[in-house]
Amino acid sequence: NSVGAGLLWNSRYVTFSKLNGDTSYIAINDLGLGKLSVSHPAGEPNLTLGLSYRDNGTQTQRNLASMVNFVINVVSIDQSVKPTLKVYDSTGASSSGQFSTALTTGVNTFALGSLFSAIDETRVVRIDLDFLLPTATDLNFTELYFAPVPEPSTVAMSLIVVCAVLYRARRRRSTAVSPCLPQDAAQTP
């Protein structure tokens, strides 16, 4: 086990084990907040990697009600891996779900709605993220975070921009010269 910086709390606990219990030949570099690099050599049994985010010794609650996605930003991965996310609340209830697609390089998103229907998302005390890594897997990610619901002002501004672009495109189309009419007739109101 190694302890690194926390995602939401003050601690991240990293555990790993092979199916046969041997922990040799595994290179794990805990690079701080949300960053981790794992190198699992060829010929070795599958590796289970677990990341657990929680306070050390206390049950500090976090309100995740405004969060809609859990995001993993992957720098590199060379095998098919679908992590499982498990969320615990202060009553002891938990809910888990697996990413629907294998991780790819870039931003990978897990929708939290299905997990939050079974727990109290306003009183989250622990998050576990588990990976089953096949032999010869190299995995490097730089960010793990919860993405909130966009602010109403952000949504409103986006809609205004889209409407303005559509209005301008429609206006240009209506003032363009029609190729079917003579130029004099097209300019007559």
Side-chain angles (χ1 to χ4, degrees):
N1 291 352
S2 68
V3 178
L7 176 69
L8 293 173
W9 295 273
N10 64 6
S11 300
R12 174 174 69 192
Y13 298 86
V14 180
T15 59
F16 57 91
S17 63
K18 294 182 186 173
L19 296 181
N20 65 2
D22 179 20
T23 59
S24 60
Y25 305 109
I26 301 172
I28 295 184
N29 297 312
D30 190 347
L31 306 172
L33 183 62
K35 298 179 182 179
L36 193 71
S37 177
V38 179
S39 182
H40 183 216
E44 294 294 316
N46 289 349
L47 169 70
T48 300
L49 170 67
L51 304 179
S52 183
Y53 295 91
R54 63 188 186 275
D55 264 342
N56 189 12
T58 63
Q59 283 207 339
T60 303
Q61 300 175 18
R62 298 287 189 245
N63 184 346
L64 300 182
S66 66
M67 303 298 167
V68 292
N69 292 315
F70 181 76
V71 180
I72 302 175
N73 191 2
V74 177
V75 174
S76 62
I77 188 165
D78 60 358
Q79 297 284 340
S80 179
V81 175
K82 289 183 182 180
T84 301
L85 182 67
K86 190 168 188 178
V87 182
Y88 301 82
D89 70 15
S90 61
T91 67
S94 66
S95 183
S96 64
Q98 187 176 42
F99 276 63
S100 59
T101 58
L103 295 178
T104 59
T105 302
V107 175
N108 298 267
T109 304
F110 179 85
L112 295 170
S114 61
L115 296 184
F116 287 167
S117 63
I119 64 161
D120 182 354
E121 71 272 13
T122 65
R123 300 170 58 189
V124 174
V125 294
R126 177 177 165 185
I127 306 289
D128 288 346
L129 188 60
D130 295 318
F131 301 83
L132 178 60
L133 303 176
T135 187
T137 299
D138 289 324
L139 169 63
N140 183 4
F141 55 84
T142 58
E143 293 179 297
L144 299 170
Y145 60 92
F146 290 90
V149 175
E151 292 290 324
S153 61
T154 303
V155 173
M157 187 58 88
S158 298
L159 287 174
I160 290 170
V161 168
V162 168
C163 289
V165 168
L166 291 174
Y167 174 77
R168 184 159 180 108
R170 185 171 182 199
R171 188 158 179 188
R172 279 188 184 165
R173 195 174 337 128
S174 67
T175 60
V177 174
S178 173
C180 298
L181 297 175
Q183 192 160 356
D184 292 338
Q187 294 177 352
T188 307

